[in-house]
Amino acid sequence: MAAEAIIQVNGLHKHFGQTPAVNGVDLAVFPGEVVVIIGPSGSGKSTLLRCINRLENFEAGAIVVDGIPMTTQENINTIRVEVGIVFQSFNLYPHLTVLENITLAQKVVRKRSKLEAEQIAVDLLRKVGIPEKANDYPGQLSGGQQQRVAIARELAMNPKIMLFDEPTSALDPEMIQEVLDVMLQLAKEGMTMVVVSHEMGFARAAADRVIFMDDGLIVEEGTPGDLFDRPQELRTKQFLSKILS
């Protein structure tokens, strides 16, 4: 593992009104590492993820992504180009075809030609297993297919880091695995990933490190084997006993 973190979070605090959401978190993520963040609802895990892409402002602390401190709007814009994020909701443009959804940002942000952007889009649709859907509209797709388009759209920007905020929580059970399979393949290919998820099977299979959060704090972290099979903290044991039983 590389010595220098590609994501460095120090002393992060984020409040919603008087309520602390992230309460002094330190986190380092290294190039090629897959980190899965688990924890109960309201534990701060999604807020932490959104702070990394500065979709949420924070009151105190520092975040450095790929050597760039998140201190100015210019730096934030630079970071966002290099960091893809996939949400629970697919956020596709309903009036654009799948192909158009994947090529739009490529042309606007990466300044690629229509031909180049479309070739990249076609290759990525093949990668996520739905090349035949290129000319369909989002409304014609299942939830799992829409989420795979959303992943392809982010990958088309050649991100150095991918963030996933509970990407399967809005899906029907039979569609979850098709999305997790795409994410598992990305992990095998060495994509740096931070994933907020309730999918413990994915965490076991893909994560280099699992982080358990509660009350805005990192309670415990370790390899999937250590955290799931040999948790040290009482709060971790209580949470896992309900999730894994």
Side-chain angles (χ1 to χ4, degrees):
M1 190 177 292
E4 187 149 345
I6 192 167
I7 300 171
Q8 184 72 54
V9 179
N10 294 113
L12 189 70
H13 287 263
K14 166 66 183 177
H15 290 74
F16 292 108
Q18 298 300 310
T19 306
V22 178
N23 207 8
V25 165
D26 298 314
L27 173 66
V29 178
F30 296 90
E33 189 178 24
V34 178
V35 175
V36 176
I37 305 174
I38 64 171
S41 296
S43 59
K45 51 193 190 298
S46 289
T47 302
L48 171 60
L49 196 77
R50 291 168 68 87
C51 285
I52 291 172
N53 214 28
R54 202 56 184 266
L55 293 171
E56 294 285 359
N57 290 318
F58 45 89
E59 282 79 43
I63 299 178
V64 178
V65 178
D66 197 24
I68 303 169
M70 200 172 276
T71 49
T72 67
Q73 190 60 51
E74 184 180 3
N75 284 6
I76 292 166
N77 292 343
T78 300
I79 289 167
R80 283 180 178 162
V81 173
E82 306 299 339
V83 180
I85 186 163
V86 176
F87 300 97
Q88 299 175 33
S89 54
F90 320 121
N91 295 329
L92 299 175
Y93 295 110
H95 63 290
L96 300 181
T97 66
V98 166
L99 196 68
E100 289 166 341
N101 265 281
I102 300 174
T103 57
L104 181 62
Q106 291 189 68
K107 293 185 287 188
V108 173
V109 179
R110 291 293 191 194
K111 308 300 182 189
R112 291 172 183 155
S113 69
K114 184 173 184 284
L115 188 64
E116 182 185 10
E118 287 183 351
Q119 185 58 59
I120 289 168
V122 168
D123 289 345
L124 284 168
L125 285 172
R126 195 172 296 117
K127 182 184 182 77
V128 301
I130 45 172
E132 73 283 0
K133 301 296 184 182
N135 295 313
D136 287 6
Y137 288 87
Q140 297 173 282
L141 306 181
S142 70
Q145 290 168 339
Q146 289 187 64
Q147 193 62 295
R148 284 187 277 168
V149 173
I151 294 171
R153 179 179 59 184
E154 296 304 312
L155 292 176
M157 301 298 287
N158 301 106
K160 293 181 179 178
I161 300 162
M162 284 288 287
L163 308 176
F164 293 89
D165 187 7
E166 299 191 31
T168 59
S169 65
L171 300 178
D172 292 335
E174 67 269 21
M175 297 174 187
I176 289 173
Q177 194 57 48
E178 63 192 45
V179 174
L180 293 179
D181 285 345
V182 172
M183 294 169 62
L184 194 58
Q185 186 58 40
L186 287 179
K188 289 176 180 175
E189 292 169 4
M191 173 65 75
T192 304
M193 296 164 61
V194 183
V195 183
V196 171
S197 182
H198 295 291
E199 299 295 334
M200 301 302 155
F202 171 80
R204 276 193 185 275
D208 297 296
R209 189 159 37 116
V210 180
I211 290 172
F212 171 63
M213 285 187 70
D214 193 27
D215 287 333
L217 294 165
I218 292 176
V219 176
E220 186 169 352
E221 60 182 288
T223 65
D226 285 341
L227 195 99
F228 290 130
D229 301 331
R230 297 172 291 279
Q232 301 300 305
E233 300 293 330
L234 177 61
R235 184 67 188 93
T236 315
K237 293 174 184 175
Q238 291 170 335
F239 176 76
L240 292 175
S241 71
K242 295 173 184 172
I243 294 292
L244 300 177
S245 58

